[in-house]
Amino acid sequence: MRLLEEVYQWTPQDSQTDASFCFYVSEGMKQIRIRFEFSPGTETDPRLCFPPIEKAMNRYYDSYPRALQPMEKESFLPVKNLITISLDKDGVYLGNAHRWATEQEHLISAEQASLGFLPPEKMAGEWHGMLHLHEILSETCTGHLIVEGE
Amino acid sequence: MKWYPVELHTHTQHSDGDFTVSELVHAAKQRGFHAVCLSDHNTMSGLPELYEAAEREHMVPIPAIEWTTYWGHMLVLDEQGYTDWRGVRPEEIDAAIASIHRNHGLAGIAHPFALDNPINTGYHWDFQVADWDSVDFLEVWSRDNAPCKIQSYRALQLWETLLNRGCHITATSGRDWHREDTYHYAHTYVLAENLTKESVLHAVKAGQICLAAGPLLTMKGIRSDGTQVQIGDTIDAGKIEIELQLDDETMPNDWEKASVTAKEIQLVHNGKVICRLAPDASQRVCVNAASGWLRADLIGSFYGKQDQKIALTNPIYIK
């Protein structure tokens, strides 16, 4: 049974912001399945990638000579967009799937949970979650979140 | 009292590491560590496995989480309860650290000058700490090749600025270990009678920690009445006898003796080198110390790079 479906479209201005979501699990449901996809996962366009990479490098070197630790901006390509999911239930933080995967599936029951999450005390009730947009470098990035109860 | 190598910064498949928890603990044991801290990004879901694996491998487990935010990464060790990392704004970090302390946890800044977005997300420390006395530790060395990186020079500079301001803040090294590799890492050593979670956390809090990328340099002070002070302790200003020990038999499975060689020991007092000594295995030297802090550094070569800081102690504080 589908509990939530959200479609997102993000731009670089959405970087370093959170998107909250919530859904309700009714009594008797044993497990939830969270599927989240976003695209693109990486960005290679030098026009988009090099200015922020150079900014990061300048910030890193500060006033130190670059020869002390030479780096090439090309070595940081492709740049990854990074979006992760966190969950909490009944005011208890369950964890975060802080990983790079662009196609994620998380199964959670009261007995076990996918890597990154702890099982909740009980499944039924209101659940809260957040998508954490650590980095969106692509001009547009689309996301699709589906939560199903089983 | 004895010096034990411990690793305070690691990741597994519970976040973005390749290690399973068992693989991580086994790898740490093989390297020669006695304790391993699991600090996955924004999750503690690996801790039940950590306790099981550590018991199997006779290792001391240290529970932790790495706050992985947009404004910096912070290692939170053994918090009894939970302070939410989400939504903490740069100007709110002092309140967050106070909450962690109320829950008996320790808070340390990870890799404060690492490459930032879009290369590494949130790695550069941008939280606006007002009360630096509340920060328990600062990871001045991070990941591989730590002695030779600009981020390490900058972190050491920040640390010295804070020490000169009168803060007692512990310097640590973090492997930030995500997977098996053959890179060259530095190590954190804690001083303890018996190694337990509590003694590791005490050493972190008390500044009884030395960092070494090869030979281990340790220091203690001897008062005029013959009593000893350890690093992290406070001693009265005046004449102090300093005992230095250099151990190049430490962690033999994790560095090459021919590639990390000692050239000189330096005593650093309030940011200035006051004494240069040969890298002998054991020696004592008398110094006249004013109020502030006194630390020992080992200078040498690190895999081809000369005149690097290859080991350092935390300071003895002087009043």
Side-chain angles (χ1 to χ4, degrees), chain B residues 39 63-67 74-79 100 105-108 137:
Chain B
S39 55
I65 182 171
E66 184 178 17
W67 279 34
M74 184 165 75
L75 294 163
V76 176
L77 275 49
D78 196 37
E79 185 180 11
I100 290 162
L106 299 184
F137 63 101

Side-chain angles (χ1 to χ4, degrees), chain B residues 96-157:
Chain B
I97 293 173
S99 168
I100 290 162
H101 286 165
R102 278 195 298 279
N103 290 334
H104 310 290
L106 299 184
I109 297 171
H111 44 64
F113 295 101
L115 275 162
D116 203 16
N117 295 56
I119 301 162
N120 302 308
T121 58
Y123 270 53
H124 193 285
W125 185 260
D126 284 320
F127 281 110
Q128 296 157 19
V129 177
D131 178 14
W132 279 98
D133 278 318
S134 71
V135 177
D136 298 298
F137 63 101
L138 182 67
E139 192 181 70
V140 297
W141 277 356
S142 174
R143 294 202 176 184
D144 61 302
N145 201 31
C148 312
K149 290 200 291 203
I150 288 171
Q151 69 184 74
S152 305
Y153 304 155
R154 295 183 68 189
L156 285 166
Q157 198 174 27

Side-chain angles (χ1 to χ4, degrees), chain A residues 16-18 56 59-61 64 68-69 76 82 86 88 93 96 98-99 115-116 132-135, chain B residues 13-16 42-43 45 68 70 82 85-86 113 116-117 119 121 124 126 150-151 154 157 305:
Chain A
Q16 302 186 326
T17 64
D18 303 323
R59 194 170 193 219
Y60 180 84
Y61 286 118
Y64 285 84
L68 282 178
Q69 193 185 342
F76 297 115
L82 176 62
S86 70
D88 51 278
Y93 179 69
N96 178 210
H98 188 94
R99 287 190 280 281
L115 292 168
H132 303 286
L133 282 64
H134 292 269
E135 179 66 55
Chain B
Q13 293 171 2
H14 285 265
S15 60
D16 61 352
N42 297 334
T43 187
S45 60
T68 304
Y70 307 142
Y82 175 68
W85 62 275
R86 298 172 297 177
F113 295 101
D116 203 16
N117 295 56
I119 301 162
T121 58
H124 193 285
D126 284 320
I150 288 171
Q151 69 184 74
R154 295 183 68 189
Q157 198 174 27
K305 288 204 170 177

Side-chain angles (χ1 to χ4, degrees), chain B residues 269-291:
Chain B
H269 180 30
N270 296 342
K272 293 198 176 90
V273 177
I274 59 162
C275 189
R276 295 173 192 275
L277 302 159
D280 297 336
S282 180
Q283 59 189 311
R284 286 188 176 196
V285 60
C286 265
V287 297
N288 204 4
S291 178

Side-chain angles (χ1 to χ4, degrees), chain B residues 12-26:
Chain B
T12 68
Q13 293 171 2
H14 285 265
S15 60
D16 61 352
D18 289 349
F19 284 121
T20 64
V21 176
S22 293
E23 287 167 351
L24 167 71
V25 174
H26 185 68

